[in-house]
Amino acid sequence: MITDPHGPLAGVRVLDASRVLAGPLCGQTLGDLGAEVIHVERPGSGDETRAWGPPFAGPLSAYYLSCNRNKRAITLDLSQDEGLRIFHDLARQTDVVLENFRAASVGKLGLGHDKLLAINPRLIVCSIAGYGRTGPLADLPGYDFAVQALSGLMSITGPVEGPPYKVGVAIADVVTGLYAAVAVLACLHARASSGHGYAIDLALLDCAVACQVNVVQAFLTSGQVPPRQGNAHLQIVPYQAFVTADDWLILAIGNDGQWQRFCAAADRADLGADARFATNALRVRNRDVLVTTLVDVMKTHGVEAWQERLQAVDVPHAPVWNHAQLLAHPQAAARGMKITVTDSHGQPVDLAGPPFHIAGTTLRVPTAPPELGQHTDEVLQELLGLNADRLAELRQKGVV
């Protein structure tokens, strides 16, 4: 197979003026795929996630480390005219701008997509907000926790009895960052033939609804609000966590053949022959009686014994691991789930690895998330030709 010497997005420049998670994650994803990503932050404080710790690796929080690899960082005060002019000059030489300013701030700062596209008609402007740029909620600040609550996601997460739960990671931010990357890639592809730029308007709320796929569709199809299932599945049975003789095990039985093989492995031919459980639809209908029976069945063996039995008959299952167990497993090493980079002080820093494995191209060697303003002089000299005296003047004014 012929292999390209550079990543699929080599030659694409991204100006990442976003902060916290959704936008920076989009920028990191594009950087993983070979784009040149320049993270623009406020002088002095920068992205607030830099301070969201402990834990820290040197001056950088684990939170900031999680979504800012493969970037260069500059500081720029966009509230000052000179800072805004520099941003516009950079936008003229950029393919993609990522921003997640509040709607009221975009026009005030001169960062609306109309202004940016007037400066660079081939630009792709990706705007990320809690509730998008339209609708009665457009001016509200967007927080993942609030969006999880409003989107219905919390109403279906957590134990059947008790309070609603959020997902254990900022999932609305994460999926929005990934949807943003998909939209940017689609527009880059379209621009190759159309020749013009695009404005993308993404909302955390929209993306949080979209990622609920079959559950939100169940409501649209039936008109019935989906009940909370805990660790069970709304439409498949048995598909949930069970306590074994010594620990938790996930059963993920997705079809009737797997159900029959499970019954054989469990030495419960009677369940396999029971007409009430013959099909998935019947198992869903008779969920309560079946699950009550399986609770006792699963306690007859420990996790290791169940794994041996279920692997032998190809029934989907999994033990419940923590991060230490996962990252100690050979699969994690085989897939590069943990990587080690070197920071600006020459110190090693462990990061979660990019998930991409693409034959036919050469993906970049990941670089450490940058310190605040680490590349300001380098970028402004390289792209705008600013000399040392001009940079010193801008720094004295607090523009950079």
Side-chain angles (χ1 to χ4, degrees):
M1 176 181 289
I2 298 173
T3 300
D4 301 333
H6 305 291
L9 293 181
V12 172
R13 179 175 295 138
V14 178
L15 205 54
D16 179 2
S18 66
R19 57 188 181 81
V20 186
L21 185 52
L25 181 64
C26 175
Q28 176 174 270
T29 301
L30 299 175
D32 289 341
L33 293 169
E36 174 195 356
V37 183
I38 301 168
H39 195 193
V40 182
E41 299 175 78
R42 294 168 293 186
S45 57
D47 189 321
E48 53 260 56
T49 63
R50 288 181 177 275
W52 286 6
F56 292 91
L60 300 181
S61 72
Y63 201 114
Y64 185 82
L65 289 170
S66 73
C67 51
N68 286 288
R69 67 173 171 260
N70 291 331
K71 300 181 185 181
R72 293 194 287 176
I74 68 172
T75 52
L76 202 56
D77 185 352
L78 300 180
S79 68
Q80 295 194 46
D81 289 343
E82 286 184 289
L84 187 59
R85 281 198 296 272
I86 289 172
F87 186 87
H88 287 165
D89 288 342
L90 291 171
R92 289 185 176 91
Q93 301 186 49
T94 294
D95 298 287
V96 180
V97 168
L98 306 176
E99 60 89 4
N100 60 356
F101 298 105
R102 290 180 64 175
S105 300
V106 169
K108 181 179 178 182
L109 290 172
L111 294 172
H113 69 265
D114 290 341
K115 175 68 172 178
L116 293 174
L117 285 168
I119 290 170
N120 180 354
R122 287 177 53 81
L123 191 63
I124 294 160
V125 182
C126 182
S127 300
I128 297 172
Y131 307 98
R133 298 301 189 208
T134 58
L137 302 181
D139 286 327
L140 291 180
Y143 296 98
D144 175 274
F145 202 173
V147 167
Q148 288 198 41
L150 290 174
S151 67
L153 187 58
M154 286 182 65
S155 76
I156 60 168
T157 304
V160 175
E161 301 293 337
Y165 280 54
K166 69 178 181 67
V167 179
V169 69
I171 193 67
D173 270 314
V174 171
V175 297
T176 301
L178 298 177
Y179 277 122
V182 170
V184 165
L185 294 174
C187 290
L188 284 169
H189 175 75
R191 190 183 68 175
S193 56
S194 74
H196 63 72
Y198 296 86
I200 301 165
D201 174 5
L202 275 176
L204 270 67
L205 182 61
D206 303 356
C207 295
V209 173
C211 80
Q212 292 177 61
V213 289
N214 60 296
V215 179
V216 72
Q217 186 60 48
F219 168 73
L220 293 172
T221 301
S222 69
Q224 297 181 0
V225 174
R228 239 183 296 154
Q229 298 293 323
N231 283 320
H233 195 289
L234 181 65
Q235 294 146 338
I236 310 173
V237 175
Y239 201 100
Q240 67 184 76
F242 289 96
V243 176
T244 71
D246 57 12
D247 210 338
W248 288 92
L249 186 77
I250 303 301
L251 275 185
I253 295 175
N255 60 52
D256 299 334
Q258 291 171 358
W259 166 245
Q260 292 296 328
R261 296 198 299 277
F262 166 79
C263 293
D267 299 322
R268 289 299 303 265
D270 59 311
L271 294 177
D274 194 318
R276 294 174 297 173
F277 312 138
T279 67
N280 180 69
L282 289 169
R283 292 192 295 276
V284 172
R285 193 171 302 155
N286 295 295
R287 176 193 302 266
D288 291 344
V289 62
L290 176 55
V291 169
T292 298
T293 301
L294 291 181
V295 165
D296 292 331
V297 171
M298 296 305 294
K299 290 178 181 177
T300 59
H301 304 288
V303 166
E304 187 174 343
W306 274 119
Q307 287 190 273
E308 291 177 0
R309 286 170 174 252
L310 298 178
Q311 284 173 0
V313 294
D314 198 24
V315 170
H317 66 282
V320 179
W321 285 347
N322 59 34
H323 296 98
Q325 290 170 300
L326 167 65
L327 293 174
H329 194 276
Q331 183 70 15
R335 301 296 292 178
M337 294 181 195
K338 184 183 79 170
I339 59 174
T340 301
V341 297
T342 302
D343 69 15
S344 61
H345 304 287
Q347 298 301 308
V349 178
D350 289 339
L351 302 175
F356 302 109
H357 302 270
I358 305 174
T361 191
T362 302
L363 295 178
R364 72 195 313 161
V365 176
T367 59
E371 293 189 23
L372 181 61
Q374 180 179 334
H375 304 99
T376 300
D377 289 5
E378 175 185 307
V379 169
L380 297 186
Q381 288 173 346
E382 176 186 319
L383 299 186
L384 304 184
L386 302 188
N387 61 30
D389 289 342
R390 177 60 173 150
L391 289 167
E393 178 187 355
L394 292 170
R395 189 162 281 109
Q396 192 274 329
K397 293 179 178 179
V399 175
V400 300

